[in-house]
Amino acid sequence: MDFKKITWGLCASLTICGGFSSCSDNDEPKIDDNGSKIELPASRVFILNEGSIGQNNANISLFDPDSKTIIEDVFYEQNEMRLGDVAQDMIEYNDYIYVSVYKSNYIARLNAAGVEQQRVSFASDPDLQGGVRYLAAEDGYLYASFHGGVVAKINATSLRVEKKITGLGANLEGVAIENHMLYVANAYEQTFDPETDKNVFNYLTDLRVIDLSKFELSETLTVAANPNQVLAEDGKIFLISWGNYNDQGYEFQMIDPKQNNKVTSLGVASKMGVGNDKVYLVYALTDWTTRVTTNTFSYYDIKAGKMVNSSFINDPLKQLENASIFSIGVNDENGDIYIGLTNYTTSNGSFFRFKKDGSMLYDFANCGGQNPSKFVFIDAD
């Protein structure tokens, strides 16, 4: 087979749980599809499907936005093995795709065809037994958060763990980099109460800030309880805290590094995605009597510095009013917005695609796996 050579745009977009965006360190990145067993389109959307815990059914699908076709579990097609148990994060960096798999506890590096090049397992490292969570990258290194309160500095080429910071908390979640500082959410700790013979969850209010030039803790910011999703955009850090599931609910916050890391509460949201100088938001409110969820869409205009409490979707869609929204991703090349949906069942998730102006392009009923959590966009010039 002849393998096509792909020239990427100056920045291949990617998104989080939401998700975040990261540019390659190269000015004109080029990549080929060496090792591919199948023909692939020039423009691709890789979808990370989280799967269900304990089922070993995480996967990566590949969507062709031009032909509107999908290759289910392209990772298996290319590598003849399963991705593992609970896919956590996926980013593009320096012409490669990096994937963290939580319960299987490893990071893999893939090329643009989804062919695995290398992986590192953390099973034998006593500091990293809690499981790898989220990824960020800068200056040739990956920075990974772990349950157990550890951040690891990993060589992006060799995947060797070069340094670790321990004692950062209990269960670390989302990470993002701004101005050579790594922002890390310390979400919660779990303890055992012998009197009730039950586990107790204590929701924390820590956002750790690590100076990457020294790789040491610089400061700890106080944020709303249970910080989770962390994204960087236009020089700001954006954070969603999940609350304590009782008297404290979801909270959307902004951290401004240029103002001494000032923390500002901006409203409520349960999922976000960044792009087009905006933070796209959805707030899912569930009536537990009827078990019906109602979604409210809004966005934060970063350039204008204000919340816009109206939907970023032009035409209200019945399909999204009560759906279980799992992720929002934005393609930095063309501004398209992807919204991933889940059924929290054994059936595959789905997604909607919108133009930058909020008009719907189409909905796609099958994203190739359960719980679509991240989108990575690769666009040919």
Side-chain angles (χ1 to χ4, degrees), residues 105-317:
N105 205 10
Y106 76 89
I107 292 173
R109 185 177 72 243
L110 319 178
N111 69 7
V115 177
E116 184 173 315
Q117 309 294 294
Q118 192 174 355
R119 74 167 58 187
V120 57
S121 171
F122 307 108
S124 62
D125 190 323
D127 290 329
L128 306 179
Q129 294 299 296
V132 63
R133 302 296 286 171
Y134 291 92
L135 305 173
E138 183 177 82
D139 295 335
Y141 290 95
L142 303 177
Y143 297 93
S145 63
F146 285 79
H147 278 184
V150 184
V151 167
K153 180 179 182 179
I154 302 167
N155 187 295
T157 301
S158 67
L159 292 188
R160 183 170 65 91
V161 177
E162 297 198 355
K163 293 182 179 180
K164 294 177 285 188
I165 302 177
T166 60
L168 291 173
N171 293 310
L172 304 183
E173 296 293 353
V175 296
I177 296 173
E178 179 57 41
N179 195 27
H180 309 298
M181 307 295 279
L182 180 73
Y183 294 77
V184 186
N186 181 28
Y188 68 94
E189 62 182 355
Q190 184 177 341
T191 57
F192 180 74
D193 184 354
E195 292 186 4
T196 61
D197 196 34
K198 292 181 180 180
N199 288 324
V200 177
F201 289 87
N202 301 310
Y203 298 102
L204 307 174
T205 59
D206 306 326
L207 188 67
R208 308 297 194 193
V209 185
I210 295 171
D211 184 339
L212 295 183
S213 63
K214 302 174 183 177
F215 197 58
E216 63 183 33
L217 181 65
S218 173
E219 64 177 310
T220 297
L221 307 178
T222 299
V223 296
N226 199 3
N228 270 267
Q229 190 179 9
V230 186
L231 298 177
E233 181 78 356
D234 291 352
K236 305 289 196 303
I237 296 293
F238 296 95
L239 167 68
I240 290 179
S241 293
W242 290 1
N244 61 10
Y245 309 104
N246 187 7
D247 60 334
Q248 293 174 290
Y250 289 99
E251 191 165 335
F252 171 53
Q253 302 142 90
M254 178 179 70
I255 294 90
D256 190 345
K258 293 181 180 178
Q259 295 190 44
N260 266 341
N261 283 325
K262 178 183 177 182
V263 180
T264 303
S265 178
L266 297 173
V268 294
S270 48
K271 296 288 182 181
M272 65 177 168
V274 294
N276 304 322
D277 300 320
K278 296 178 175 64
V279 185
Y280 297 102
L281 303 161
V282 61
Y283 175 52
L285 181 62
T286 300
D287 182 335
W288 293 109
T289 302
T290 61
R291 294 189 176 273
V292 173
T293 296
T294 302
N295 295 313
T296 303
F297 295 90
S298 61
Y299 64 93
Y300 180 74
D301 187 323
I302 303 173
K303 295 296 186 185
K306 65 177 183 179
M307 279 292 300
V308 180
N309 293 313
S310 58
S311 179
F312 57 85
I313 299 170
N314 280 346
D315 300 317
L317 298 172

Side-chain angles (χ1 to χ4, degrees), residues 65 68 317 334-338 352-364:
K68 301 183 182 64
L317 298 172
N334 58 21
D336 284 355
I337 305 162
Y338 286 68
F352 284 75
R353 181 187 179 191
F354 298 86
K355 288 183 179 180
K356 181 179 179 179
D357 64 7
S359 57
M360 192 180 82
L361 286 168
Y362 49 78
D363 64 301
F364 205 81

